Amino acid sequence: FGTERVLEIVKKVRENIQMDDPSQLQKYLGVMHHLVRKEVSGDTITEVTFDMAQYFRSAIEDYCSLSGESLYKVLTPFAPRMEGDALDKLLAEKGTMAEHAAHCVMKLMYGARMAMPCLCVIISRLSAQISKWNKDSDRRLHRVFCYLKHTLDIKLHGSLSTADWDSLKLVAWPDADLNGDYMDTKSTSGFFIELAGKDGRSMPLAWGAKKQG
């Protein structure tokens, strides 16, 4: 990226540092970027797939090694709520993953921040439990990894065309769960921001979830 001046700088840097030749964007910050460009009626459409399957596969193997748990197929990353005495019992006992909770949750947090918006809310909730990890936390973390194990084919996509120049606009999708977490009384805010063009094309820009004050 950049002007010819960048190539001059790279040439000087290579006098002292061994470097590969510049290439098209591929793996960056743990994310594989698959770019496809095609010409349609004189315009160039660029499609991008943000792929972190390799990263998440490593995180899954790490979790299974640390926990000794097996993973099964589930439809969502959210563990169903348990009621009454059963939940109270889990909340009262220290979780078996307490020592590794920060490690596992941070890996998931990075993956969600980079290319998996659908995990942002549950990871935000789990991160608030790291200092008071219990067996219900174990159950919820296990559920997330069960979901990941069987959804590695889900990827974040974006596309824009040169025909979109005159119609580009920022679109923001804010939401809140309105006290949807049974662990406390604070709501969780979420957002997704994209650069939108014509004919349903758009490019994801930012997303996240944060517990309200």
Side-chain angles (χ1 to χ4, degrees):
F1 294 100
T3 64
E4 294 296 320
R5 173 64 177 153
V6 174
L7 298 181
E8 296 176 11
I9 294 173
V10 170
K11 184 177 180 180
K12 291 182 178 180
V13 172
R14 294 178 79 170
E15 293 176 1
N16 299 298
I17 300 177
Q18 184 177 350
M19 300 171 61
D20 293 332
D21 291 331
S23 62
Q24 293 295 321
L25 178 65
Q26 294 179 355
K27 187 174 183 180
Y28 182 69
L29 297 178
V31 185
M32 290 297 299
H33 295 76
H34 306 293
L35 281 80
V36 176
R37 289 189 172 92
K38 55 187 178 183
E39 298 293 325
V40 177
S41 302
D43 289 300
T44 301
I45 297 178
T46 300
E47 300 176 348
V48 185
T49 299
F50 304 88
D51 183 356
M52 291 197 76
Q54 183 177 349
Y55 174 90
F56 281 126
R57 192 172 289 111
S58 173
I60 290 169
E61 293 174 356
D62 193 26
Y63 169 78
C64 290
S65 175
L66 292 171
S67 68
E69 296 281 356
S70 58
L71 304 177
Y72 49 84
K73 188 174 183 178
V74 297
L75 296 179
T76 78
F78 295 90
R81 179 177 178 177
M82 299 179 66
E83 300 292 344
D85 295 340
L87 177 58
D88 289 340
K89 184 177 180 180
L90 291 179
L91 294 175
E93 296 183 38
K94 182 178 180 180
T96 57
M97 289 293 291
E99 293 183 10
H100 308 293
H103 170 73
C104 292
V105 172
M106 291 304 111
K107 291 197 78 168
L108 291 174
M109 183 178 290
Y110 182 77
R113 176 63 189 87
M114 297 303 293
M116 201 72 164
C118 64
L119 293 181
C120 286
V121 171
I122 186 60
I123 300 306
S124 174
R125 292 176 180 174
L126 278 173
S127 66
Q129 298 183 39
I130 289 177
S131 62
K132 48 185 178 182
W133 200 263
N134 53 58
K135 286 194 175 296
D136 186 56
S137 307
D138 282 343
R139 183 178 70 94
R140 297 169 81 171
L141 181 66
H142 179 254
R143 175 79 178 205
V144 174
F145 278 104
C146 284
Y147 177 78
L148 270 179
K149 169 78 173 180
H150 297 89
T151 54
L152 291 176
D153 58 332
I154 295 179
K155 307 289 192 304
L156 184 64
H157 299 275
S159 68
L160 285 174
S161 169
T162 52
D164 298 329
W165 280 117
D166 296 331
S167 62
L168 290 173
K169 58 183 178 180
L170 285 174
V171 179
W173 304 89
D175 200 1
D177 71 342
L178 302 180
N179 194 21
D181 183 9
Y182 61 84
M183 294 300 295
D184 63 38
T185 59
K186 296 179 181 177
S187 298
T188 301
S189 296
F191 71 93
F192 187 89
I193 301 174
E194 60 185 357
L195 185 63
K198 301 176 182 177
D199 302 325
R201 289 184 293 268
S202 67
M203 191 66 65
L205 297 181
W207 52 87
K210 184 177 181 181
K211 186 165 296 194
Q212 295 180 8

